[in-house]
């Protein structure tokens, strides 16, 4: 049983305070980050303590470097690269040398950014690919020796709680029930938040009534079913597989969708891509995507539009790109399985997640918002 009572998580850090300022910045190594969430302030002004959060997933290597402000934190640098660390993992249970070399190269760039920004404290985590690989520990040792970063392989519960911490601020404050999910490369984390939020600074993990980590993500699902030419029959096969894996959580969270103002809240490249397609964006604009509400019909239309595309069309779409063209429909299948189990009139899109949760946790642990420690 993976449920956890509120008492059991009472020591977990809160999601942190909010502010309404926004800025813009384009960073190296990934698609442009147009603006950060409302509780972010992007840019630089004066000397502050820099924190770094690095999330190494099955598909992506992502870094955020930030400094605390009176009402949250300001992102001063970022990096994102698709490395496909878990490529082929389902067949061999090992990280391949090619995948390791791609990842080590990306981690070196991250290490350089952390050094340049004089990071005072960092958290560097790895998730499903390293959890499953028989050579995961060897990879961690190699990263320590060659890059100088201490990767921590986090368990599934930690990953699920970080996802909630990172994006729960986008939940409707009037909603008495929210299902939050994070579709990753090798796993999908999902949690049921029960009861209305007391106030914006309340620890969102205290509302977790049930959670699970499904051993399926966009990379693993696409490798099993194929992601290049996805027919509707293939798509339904993926949805059915995820639905079966979702069944135990669906039983525990059966009451979620019946609560007043219930809605879904999703964070992943899948949901941000659907949002970008819905908005007909010529290029990805984070400030327009993060926090967007989509109706049930709008989500269905966006998925249908993607199902009608060929691989080359998806690759040419600047909001998808060649690195994700064969993965995005697998992500849509995971989303569709969740929507069928938890019907909702609304889906809120979050372009934030584990890194934001890590940053908030570190800053709260250091008490940066107590006694005006931020400078």
């Amino acid at each position: 049983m993976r449920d956890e009572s509120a008492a059991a998580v009472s020591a977990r850090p809160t999601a942190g305070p909010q502010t309404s300022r926004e800025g813009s910045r384009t960073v190296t190594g990934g698609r442009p980050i147009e603006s950060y969430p409302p509780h972010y302030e992007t840019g630089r002004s004066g000397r502050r303590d820099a924190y770094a959060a690095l999330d190494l997933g099955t598909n992506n290597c992502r870094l955020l470097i930030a400094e605390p402000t009176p009402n949250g934190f300001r992102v001063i640098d970022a990096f994102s690269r698709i490395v496909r660390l878990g490529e082929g993992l389902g067949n061999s249970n090992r990280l391949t040398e090619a995948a390791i070399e791609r990842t080590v190269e990306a981690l070196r760039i991250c290490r350089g950014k952390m050094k340049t920004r004089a990071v005072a404290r960092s958290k560097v985590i790895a998730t499903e690919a390293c959890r499953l690989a028989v050579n995961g520990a060897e990879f961690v040792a190699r990263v320590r020796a060659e890059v100088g970063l201490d990767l921590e392989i986090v368990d599934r519960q930690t990953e699920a709680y970080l996802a909630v911490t990172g994006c729960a601020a986008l939940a409707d404050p009037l909603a008495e029930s929210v299902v939050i999910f994070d579709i990753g490369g090798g796993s999908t984390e999902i949690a049921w938040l029960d009861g209305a939020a007391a106030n914006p600074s309340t620890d969102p993990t205290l509302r977790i009534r049930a959670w699970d980590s499904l051993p399926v993500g966009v990379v693993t699902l696409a490798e099993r079913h194929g992601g290049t030419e996805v027919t509707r029959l293939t798509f339904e096969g993926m949805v059915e597989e995820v639905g079966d894996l979702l069944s135990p959580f669906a039983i525990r969270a059966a009451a979620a969708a019946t609560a007043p103002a219930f809605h879904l809240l999703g964070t992943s490249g899948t949901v941000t891509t659907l949002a970008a397609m819905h908005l007909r964006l010529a290029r990805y604009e984070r400030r327009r995507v993060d926090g967007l509400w989509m109706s049930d019909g709008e989500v269905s239309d966006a998925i249908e539009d993607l199902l009608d595309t060929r691989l080359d069309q998806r690759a040419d779409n600047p909001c998808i790109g060649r690195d994700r063209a064969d993965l995005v429909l697998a992500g849509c299948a995971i989303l569709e399985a969740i929507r069928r189990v938890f019907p909702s009139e609304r889906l809120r899109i979050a372009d934030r997640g584990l890194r934001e949760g890590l940053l908030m946790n570190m800053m709260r642990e250091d008490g940066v918002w107590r006694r005006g420690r931020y400078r």
Side-chain angles (χ1 to χ4, degrees), residues 14-313:
T14 73
Q18 316 290 301
T19 186
S20 59
R21 291 188 57 187
E22 293 186 23
S24 67
R25 178 183 180 85
T26 300
V27 297
T28 305
R31 65 187 181 191
I33 296 180
E34 294 299 331
S35 99
Y36 284 88
H39 68 285
Y40 286 42
E41 298 177 10
T42 311
R44 284 179 290 176
S45 63
R47 180 185 178 279
R48 297 177 186 272
D49 295 324
Y51 289 76
L54 191 154
D55 168 25
L56 177 59
T58 303
N59 195 43
N60 290 293
C61 175
R62 296 172 174 166
L63 170 74
L64 280 184
I65 301 176
E67 51 191 25
T69 66
N71 297 305
F73 56 80
R74 174 184 294 110
V75 174
I76 59 176
D77 209 344
F79 175 85
S80 178
R81 177 174 290 179
I82 294 175
V83 294
R84 296 205 181 199
L85 177 61
E87 188 173 57
L89 187 59
N91 298 322
S92 66
N93 294 322
R94 295 186 63 85
L95 303 175
T96 67
E97 182 61 25
I100 289 173
E101 289 180 359
R102 289 194 301 266
T103 305
V104 167
E105 179 187 356
L107 290 172
R108 283 198 181 100
I109 296 172
C110 293
R111 183 71 181 92
K113 285 180 172 289
M114 292 164 65
K115 184 176 181 180
T116 299
R117 297 292 183 177
V119 168
R121 185 178 177 193
S122 64
K123 191 78 170 178
V124 182
I125 67 168
T127 54
E128 187 72 358
C130 289
R131 284 195 294 256
L132 294 179
V134 294
N135 58 337
E138 296 174 22
F139 169 69
V140 169
R142 179 169 170 178
V143 169
R144 183 183 300 113
E146 296 184 14
V147 185
L149 290 176
D150 288 317
L151 272 175
E152 176 187 353
I153 303 176
V154 297
D155 59 32
R156 291 189 169 100
Q157 180 179 354
T158 299
E159 186 174 359
Y161 275 70
L162 284 171
V164 169
T165 302
C167 66
L170 285 178
D172 183 347
L174 300 179
E176 295 186 18
S177 179
V178 180
V179 167
I180 296 179
F181 58 91
D182 182 359
I183 301 171
S187 66
T188 296
E189 279 59 53
I190 188 166
W192 170 26
L193 272 59
D194 187 29
N199 59 67
S201 63
T202 299
D203 182 353
T205 64
L206 298 177
R207 297 172 61 196
I208 294 178
R209 178 80 171 273
W211 71 275
D212 207 343
S213 179
L214 312 181
V216 63
V218 298
V219 174
T220 50
L221 198 62
E223 286 184 349
R224 280 200 292 273
H225 293 264
T228 54
E229 301 300 327
V230 180
T231 65
R232 276 170 168 72
L233 184 61
T234 304
F235 185 77
E236 281 299 318
M238 291 191 283
V239 174
E240 289 179 10
E241 178 181 336
V242 178
D244 290 341
L245 295 170
L246 192 57
S247 293
F249 176 80
I251 293 171
R252 299 198 301 274
T258 63
F262 167 76
H263 71 87
L264 297 173
L265 197 169
T267 173
S268 68
T270 297
V271 296
T272 57
T273 295
L274 289 174
M277 292 191 64
H278 166 66
L279 294 171
R280 309 295 184 192
L281 298 181
R283 59 188 292 274
Y284 189 80
E285 297 180 61
R286 191 181 194 280
R287 62 181 178 83
R288 296 184 62 186
V289 169
D290 186 59
L292 178 73
W293 286 102
M294 291 181 67
S295 70
D296 184 59
E298 289 168 343
V299 176
S300 294
D301 289 345
I303 292 175
E304 283 295 317
D305 287 345
L306 268 176
L307 280 169
D308 286 336
T309 61
R310 303 186 308 272
L311 178 67
D312 62 323
Q313 292 174 314

